[in-house]
């Protein structure tokens, strides 16, 4: 089968097309013929070699894939050949086929496309957990969502707005700001033209927001702390800048602010019920139309390097997928 391999850590040109043996499912696993693979910024961080405990090169990236079951391993009773499924993976999604534990897969609703399904698990479970399970967002509170037009951002804006919160969101272009506004962002902020702290201060009468979802690191992390209210909370779930942030415990204690970290894979491993309990609510919201999976550009599998660069150049909105 064809797959994409990270030959060594580095820029997007380290992604190349290779021919590798088609995997066989072991006990408890199924093999999926992939129709769409989701790209996450974590894939880019892994490729750069900046991901703690990430895979060692060479490897096939991809932690999210949707497709059809085409082979079933021993001991799998609840999935059959032909079933449409989507799941989270450690690696291997940038390929024509992948094997995965059957208990980590979700059935794809009839009305949902493979592309949409590939945009569901990582972004919606991350957004929901950061907002509610880790962030404790209440209906009468305010939230600042960094990268509000991205995959997780578009999910988080919808969830927070539907919950009744006042939503601030940052993005880099007017097109992305318009998208965030359509999804329920009350205060779209162009971070290339305006310091988001000024908008937050003006719109909250100097109080700051109750919650921040932060995924950039570097000085965005520091300025997000500035934008938080007394007793405010932050959930940090990414380092898109590539520069990890540091925080002074003295600042946290004197300003009574809380910072929590969230990593979907680790959270699902150590407390799966806490993460996965949101699935029925999310799938119901998608089925009813209260939630929408926002799809961006799709790229052919062999154009994975171009897709990575497209995201790194901040051209993307919504979920970017690869199509084998």
């Amino acid at each position: 089968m064809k797959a994409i391999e990270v030959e060594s850590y580095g820029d997007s040109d380290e992604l190349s097309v290779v021919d590798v043996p088609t995997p066989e499912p072991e006990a408890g696993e199924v093999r999926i013929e992939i129709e769409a693979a989701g790209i996450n910024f974590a894939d880019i961080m892994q490729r750069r070699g900046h991901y703690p405990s990430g895979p060692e090169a060479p490897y096939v990236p991809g932690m999210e894939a949707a497709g059809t079951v085409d082979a079933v391993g021993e001991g799998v009773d609840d999935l059959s050949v032909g079933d449409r499924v989507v799941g989270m993976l450690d690696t291997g999604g940038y390929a024509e086929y992948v094997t995965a534990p059957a208990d980590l897969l979700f059935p794809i609703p009839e009305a949902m496309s493979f592309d949409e399904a590939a945009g569901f698990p990582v972004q919606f479970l991350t957004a929901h957990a950061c907002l509610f399970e880790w962030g404790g967002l209440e209906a009468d509170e305010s939230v600042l969502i960094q990268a509000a037009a991205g995959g997780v951002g578009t999910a988080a804006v919808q969830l927070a707005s539907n919950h009744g919160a006042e939503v601030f969101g940052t993005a880099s272009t007017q097109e992305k700001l318009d998208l965030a506004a359509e999804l329920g962002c009350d205060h779209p902020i162009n971070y290339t033209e305006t310091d988001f702290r000024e908008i937050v201060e003006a719109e909250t009468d100097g109080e700051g927001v109750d919650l921040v979802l932060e995924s950039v690191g570097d000085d965005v992390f520091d300025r997000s702390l500035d934008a938080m209210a007394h007793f405010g909370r932050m959930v940090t779930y990414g380092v898109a800048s590539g520069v990890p942030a540091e925080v002074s415990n003295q600042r946290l204690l004197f300003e009574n602010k809380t910072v929590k970290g969230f990593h979907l894979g680790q959270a699902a491993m150590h407390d799966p019920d806490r993460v996965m309990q949101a699935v029925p609510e999310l799938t119901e919201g998608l089925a009813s139309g209260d939630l929408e999976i926002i799809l961006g550009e799709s790229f052919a599998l062999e154009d994975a390097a171009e897709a990575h660069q497209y995201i790194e150049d901040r051209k993307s909105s919504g979920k970017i997928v690869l199509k084998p």
Side-chain angles (χ1 to χ4, degrees):
M1 70 171 187
K2 283 187 169 38
I4 300 298
E5 184 178 82
V6 175
E7 297 178 351
S8 59
Y9 298 137
D11 295 332
S12 58
D13 58 9
E14 293 295 340
L15 294 168
S16 60
V17 182
V18 295
D19 287 311
V20 296
T22 302
E24 294 295 333
E26 297 182 356
E29 293 184 335
V30 301
R31 185 173 65 207
I32 304 167
E33 182 178 4
I34 298 173
E35 298 290 342
I39 300 179
N40 295 284
F41 207 87
D43 299 340
I44 294 171
M45 296 295 291
Q46 288 181 348
R47 191 207 71 220
R48 293 173 177 170
H50 295 164
Y51 202 83
S53 302
E56 293 186 9
Y59 68 94
V60 175
M63 55 184 64
E64 199 172 31
T68 304
V69 174
D70 89 319
V72 177
E74 292 184 14
V76 176
D77 301 319
D78 53 351
L79 288 175
S80 304
V81 172
D83 287 349
R84 301 167 76 243
V85 295
V86 60
M88 296 180 292
L89 315 165
D90 288 332
T91 56
Y94 292 13
E96 293 179 316
Y97 295 88
V98 70
T99 56
D103 58 2
L104 294 182
L105 301 175
F106 307 98
I108 299 175
E110 200 170 306
M112 185 181 290
S113 70
F114 287 114
D115 287 16
E116 290 171 325
F120 167 65
V122 170
Q123 67 187 45
F124 272 91
L125 288 174
T126 297
H128 191 280
C130 288
L131 286 170
F132 305 116
E133 286 298 314
W134 271 250
L137 183 67
E138 300 290 344
D140 61 347
E141 291 188 315
S142 56
V143 57
L144 169 62
I145 299 169
Q146 303 290 5
V152 173
T154 52
V157 167
Q158 294 177 74
L159 289 167
S161 178
N162 291 355
H163 193 63
E166 182 179 10
V167 182
F168 294 77
T170 64
S172 60
T173 68
Q174 189 59 51
E175 182 181 11
K176 293 181 179 182
L177 295 170
D178 290 343
L179 172 60
E182 291 172 9
L183 296 175
C185 182
D186 302 293
H187 308 284
I189 305 167
N190 189 326
Y191 67 80
T192 69
E193 299 176 353
T194 307
D195 189 331
F196 61 79
R197 293 175 296 185
E198 296 177 0
I199 304 299
V200 168
E201 182 177 13
E203 296 294 337
T204 62
D205 296 324
E207 294 294 323
V209 295
D210 299 295
L211 175 66
V212 177
L213 265 58
E214 197 284 315
S215 57
V216 183
D218 203 8
D219 70 316
V220 174
F221 180 96
D222 297 326
R223 291 187 288 123
S224 294
L225 277 174
D226 294 338
M228 290 164 58
H230 212 76
F231 302 112
R233 296 97 62 197
M234 178 194 293
V235 180
T236 180
Y237 66 93
V239 192
S241 66
V243 182
E246 297 181 358
V247 61
S248 163
N249 69 316
Q250 187 175 31
R251 178 176 186 183
L252 295 181
L253 69 92
F254 275 99
E255 297 178 15
N256 286 287
K257 294 179 178 178
T258 300
V259 176
K260 293 183 178 181
F262 177 79
H263 184 277
L264 178 61
Q266 291 295 318
M269 180 187 303
H270 292 284
D271 196 351
D273 291 343
R274 188 178 180 190
V275 175
M276 299 304 177
Q277 67 179 343
V279 171
E281 174 190 338
L282 293 171
T283 53
E284 182 180 336
L286 290 167
S288 68
D290 289 338
L291 297 172
E292 179 183 359
I293 297 170
I294 305 301
L295 296 174
E297 296 292 324
S298 63
F299 292 80
L301 180 65
E302 56 266 29
D303 295 327
E306 181 183 347
H308 270 221
Q309 196 59 50
Y310 184 79
I311 295 172
E312 291 183 88
D313 290 341
R314 301 180 184 178
K315 295 178 179 178
S316 62
S317 296
K319 188 70 174 187
I320 307 300
V321 298
L322 293 178
K323 305 278 288 182

